[in-house]
Amino acid sequence: MPPELQTVASLLHEGKLFLAEQICRQFLQRHPHDKEAMRLLADIGNRLQILDDAEFLLESCVEMYPDYARARFDYVQVLHKRQKFDIALEQAKRLHNQTPKHLLYEVTFAAEHQAVGNFEEALFIYDDVLVRHGDLPRVLTSRGHSLKTCGRTEEAITSYQRAYRAQPDYGDAYWSLANLKTYRFSDDELALMTQQE
């Protein structure tokens, strides 16, 4: 990565978005189609909630560089934020097909299936990921959300419980149980939450 873009990435990490944007735009004036500069500027737009510009930059980037997975992943994230779930699913599928068995891309593909209501497809992917990678709390929680939405509440509860057992301080698992509105925490669960607090 050119030194200017390394600086931009570092500034992004530090949250200095204005300076990062200036440097990135100057670099893009000299190198108009640099894929990493386009992605970084889109990242800045995403962080500043300038989602139209971020989407345009990432769409252009993946059209010019169809094999650039990192930009395509960012594109899926921006499309999801903009609630363009059908297009996000299409892009997530391309990403998944480009790099099969890549954990992040598989989970993203499942999440986009979930966003359009393809819960069985999402569950199939989540289950496959869990078989290969063990109990990942975020995957178990997402799986639980799909199960809950399908009306499979008891299975959702089990998935949420597996999530907090895999990582006792994973608050989303407890929150998801509470959010069922009908779940009653056991004394052991209450003690575990108190201990984590």
mmCIF file of all heavy atoms in Angstrom, residues 2 19 24 47 60 71 75 81 84 90 96 106 108 154 171 177 185 195:
data_model
loop_
_atom_site.group_PDB
_atom_site.id
_atom_site.type_symbol
_atom_site.label_atom_id
_atom_site.label_comp_id
_atom_site.label_asym_id
_atom_site.label_seq_id
_atom_site.Cartn_x
_atom_site.Cartn_y
_atom_site.Cartn_z
ATOM 1 N N PRO A 2 0.598 2.217 -0.840
ATOM 2 C CA PRO A 2 1.390 3.453 -0.850
ATOM 3 C C PRO A 2 1.377 4.140 0.522
ATOM 4 O O PRO A 2 0.399 4.025 1.269
ATOM 5 C CB PRO A 2 0.682 4.326 -1.887
ATOM 6 C CG PRO A 2 -0.085 3.376 -2.732
ATOM 7 C CD PRO A 2 -0.459 2.226 -1.841
ATOM 8 N N LEU A 19 -9.058 14.488 8.337
ATOM 9 C CA LEU A 19 -7.704 14.476 7.775
ATOM 10 C C LEU A 19 -7.525 13.277 6.850
ATOM 11 O O LEU A 19 -6.931 13.405 5.767
ATOM 12 C CB LEU A 19 -6.672 14.446 8.907
ATOM 13 C CG LEU A 19 -5.201 14.564 8.514
ATOM 14 C CD1 LEU A 19 -4.948 15.793 7.645
ATOM 15 C CD2 LEU A 19 -4.330 14.607 9.763
ATOM 16 N N CYS A 24 -6.833 11.121 1.366
ATOM 17 C CA CYS A 24 -7.349 10.124 0.431
ATOM 18 C C CYS A 24 -7.832 10.784 -0.863
ATOM 19 O O CYS A 24 -7.547 10.293 -1.967
ATOM 20 C CB CYS A 24 -8.484 9.329 1.090
ATOM 21 S SG CYS A 24 -8.854 7.779 0.283
ATOM 22 N N ARG A 47 -18.502 5.672 7.555
ATOM 23 C CA ARG A 47 -18.393 6.092 8.964
ATOM 24 C C ARG A 47 -19.086 7.424 9.212
ATOM 25 O O ARG A 47 -19.565 7.684 10.314
ATOM 26 C CB ARG A 47 -16.929 6.187 9.373
ATOM 27 C CG ARG A 47 -16.235 4.835 9.421
ATOM 28 C CD ARG A 47 -14.765 5.008 9.691
ATOM 29 N NE ARG A 47 -14.023 3.784 9.484
ATOM 30 C CZ ARG A 47 -13.099 3.320 10.321
ATOM 31 N NH1 ARG A 47 -12.812 3.977 11.420
ATOM 32 N NH2 ARG A 47 -12.462 2.207 10.049
ATOM 33 N N SER A 60 -18.495 1.168 -8.030
ATOM 34 C CA SER A 60 -17.509 1.417 -9.095
ATOM 35 C C SER A 60 -16.281 0.540 -8.901
ATOM 36 O O SER A 60 -15.747 -0.033 -9.858
ATOM 37 C CB SER A 60 -17.088 2.889 -9.097
ATOM 38 O OG SER A 60 -18.205 3.719 -9.270
ATOM 39 N N ALA A 71 -13.301 -4.977 -1.042
ATOM 40 C CA ALA A 71 -14.231 -3.927 -1.470
ATOM 41 C C ALA A 71 -15.647 -4.484 -1.607
ATOM 42 O O ALA A 71 -16.613 -3.821 -1.236
ATOM 43 C CB ALA A 71 -13.766 -3.318 -2.790
ATOM 44 N N TYR A 75 -18.960 -3.297 0.264
ATOM 45 C CA TYR A 75 -20.131 -2.956 -0.540
ATOM 46 C C TYR A 75 -21.380 -3.634 0.037
ATOM 47 O O TYR A 75 -22.431 -3.001 0.185
ATOM 48 C CB TYR A 75 -19.878 -3.383 -1.985
ATOM 49 C CG TYR A 75 -20.918 -2.988 -2.996
ATOM 50 C CD1 TYR A 75 -21.603 -1.780 -2.931
ATOM 51 C CD2 TYR A 75 -21.201 -3.836 -4.074
ATOM 52 C CE1 TYR A 75 -22.544 -1.425 -3.888
ATOM 53 C CE2 TYR A 75 -22.130 -3.492 -5.032
ATOM 54 C CZ TYR A 75 -22.805 -2.294 -4.937
ATOM 55 O OH TYR A 75 -23.738 -1.949 -5.891
ATOM 56 N N LYS A 81 -26.808 -1.577 5.151
ATOM 57 C CA LYS A 81 -27.172 -0.374 5.918
ATOM 58 C C LYS A 81 -28.257 0.430 5.213
ATOM 59 O O LYS A 81 -29.112 1.031 5.857
ATOM 60 C CB LYS A 81 -25.948 0.532 6.106
ATOM 61 C CG LYS A 81 -25.148 0.271 7.335
ATOM 62 C CD LYS A 81 -24.121 1.377 7.492
ATOM 63 C CE LYS A 81 -23.324 1.230 8.760
ATOM 64 N NZ LYS A 81 -22.327 2.277 8.910
ATOM 65 N N LYS A 84 -30.880 -2.237 1.130
ATOM 66 C CA LYS A 84 -30.978 -2.770 -0.231
ATOM 67 C C LYS A 84 -30.608 -4.251 -0.162
ATOM 68 O O LYS A 84 -29.585 -4.696 -0.653
ATOM 69 C CB LYS A 84 -30.056 -1.992 -1.176
ATOM 70 C CG LYS A 84 -30.461 -0.536 -1.332
ATOM 71 C CD LYS A 84 -29.579 0.172 -2.332
ATOM 72 C CE LYS A 84 -30.065 1.597 -2.566
ATOM 73 N NZ LYS A 84 -29.296 2.278 -3.622
ATOM 74 N N GLU A 90 -27.176 -10.595 -3.420
ATOM 75 C CA GLU A 90 -26.512 -10.932 -4.697
ATOM 76 C C GLU A 90 -24.995 -10.734 -4.588
ATOM 77 O O GLU A 90 -24.208 -11.582 -5.015
ATOM 78 C CB GLU A 90 -27.098 -10.045 -5.805
ATOM 79 C CG GLU A 90 -26.468 -10.196 -7.153
ATOM 80 C CD GLU A 90 -26.996 -9.126 -8.110
ATOM 81 O OE1 GLU A 90 -28.232 -8.939 -8.170
ATOM 82 O OE2 GLU A 90 -26.169 -8.482 -8.782
ATOM 83 N N HIS A 96 -19.124 -14.999 -1.598
ATOM 84 C CA HIS A 96 -19.071 -16.372 -1.094
ATOM 85 C C HIS A 96 -18.543 -17.319 -2.174
ATOM 86 O O HIS A 96 -17.723 -18.200 -1.896
ATOM 87 C CB HIS A 96 -20.468 -16.790 -0.636
ATOM 88 C CG HIS A 96 -20.561 -18.192 -0.156
ATOM 89 N ND1 HIS A 96 -21.022 -19.216 -0.941
ATOM 90 C CD2 HIS A 96 -20.240 -18.753 1.030
ATOM 91 C CE1 HIS A 96 -20.981 -20.340 -0.259
ATOM 92 N NE2 HIS A 96 -20.517 -20.088 0.937
ATOM 93 N N GLU A 106 -18.986 -16.363 4.610
ATOM 94 C CA GLU A 106 -20.095 -17.298 4.808
ATOM 95 C C GLU A 106 -21.135 -16.699 5.749
ATOM 96 O O GLU A 106 -22.337 -16.766 5.470
ATOM 97 C CB GLU A 106 -19.576 -18.611 5.409
ATOM 98 C CG GLU A 106 -18.904 -19.526 4.422
ATOM 99 C CD GLU A 106 -18.526 -20.838 5.072
ATOM 100 O OE1 GLU A 106 -17.637 -20.827 5.928
ATOM 101 O OE2 GLU A 106 -19.153 -21.851 4.728
ATOM 102 N N THR A 108 -21.618 -13.588 6.410
ATOM 103 C CA THR A 108 -22.240 -12.454 5.712
ATOM 104 C C THR A 108 -23.314 -12.938 4.750
ATOM 105 O O THR A 108 -24.411 -12.368 4.677
ATOM 106 C CB THR A 108 -21.163 -11.637 4.962
ATOM 107 O OG1 THR A 108 -20.230 -11.132 5.918
ATOM 108 C CG2 THR A 108 -21.767 -10.497 4.188
ATOM 109 N N GLU A 154 -37.949 -22.696 21.084
ATOM 110 C CA GLU A 154 -37.135 -23.545 21.957
ATOM 111 C C GLU A 154 -35.736 -23.749 21.368
ATOM 112 O O GLU A 154 -34.734 -23.724 22.093
ATOM 113 C CB GLU A 154 -37.821 -24.897 22.198
ATOM 114 C CG GLU A 154 -39.049 -24.806 23.082
ATOM 115 C CD GLU A 154 -38.786 -24.132 24.421
ATOM 116 O OE1 GLU A 154 -37.777 -24.466 25.079
ATOM 117 O OE2 GLU A 154 -39.575 -23.242 24.813
ATOM 118 N N GLY A 171 -22.834 -10.485 26.106
ATOM 119 C CA GLY A 171 -24.104 -9.895 26.535
ATOM 120 C C GLY A 171 -25.237 -10.047 25.547
ATOM 121 O O GLY A 171 -26.404 -10.127 25.947
ATOM 122 N N LEU A 177 -32.156 -13.567 24.834
ATOM 123 C CA LEU A 177 -33.084 -14.357 25.653
ATOM 124 C C LEU A 177 -34.136 -13.446 26.288
ATOM 125 O O LEU A 177 -35.338 -13.737 26.258
ATOM 126 C CB LEU A 177 -32.311 -15.126 26.734
ATOM 127 C CG LEU A 177 -31.507 -16.323 26.245
ATOM 128 C CD1 LEU A 177 -30.510 -16.777 27.306
ATOM 129 C CD2 LEU A 177 -32.421 -17.468 25.837
ATOM 130 N N PHE A 185 -35.238 -16.487 33.144
ATOM 131 C CA PHE A 185 -33.870 -16.852 33.492
ATOM 132 C C PHE A 185 -33.850 -17.725 34.738
ATOM 133 O O PHE A 185 -34.584 -17.474 35.702
ATOM 134 C CB PHE A 185 -33.016 -15.599 33.734
ATOM 135 C CG PHE A 185 -32.676 -14.846 32.478
ATOM 136 C CD1 PHE A 185 -33.368 -13.698 32.133
ATOM 137 C CD2 PHE A 185 -31.658 -15.280 31.639
ATOM 138 C CE1 PHE A 185 -33.063 -13.001 30.981
ATOM 139 C CE2 PHE A 185 -31.341 -14.593 30.488
ATOM 140 C CZ PHE A 185 -32.045 -13.454 30.145
ATOM 141 N N GLN A 195 -22.270 -12.221 38.037
ATOM 142 C CA GLN A 195 -20.811 -12.427 38.076
ATOM 143 C C GLN A 195 -20.129 -11.672 36.937
ATOM 144 O O GLN A 195 -19.101 -11.019 37.138
ATOM 145 C CB GLN A 195 -20.524 -13.927 37.963
ATOM 146 C CG GLN A 195 -19.050 -14.256 37.971
ATOM 147 C CD GLN A 195 -18.823 -15.759 37.711
ATOM 148 O OE1 GLN A 195 -19.760 -16.543 37.675
ATOM 149 N NE2 GLN A 195 -17.578 -16.109 37.527
#
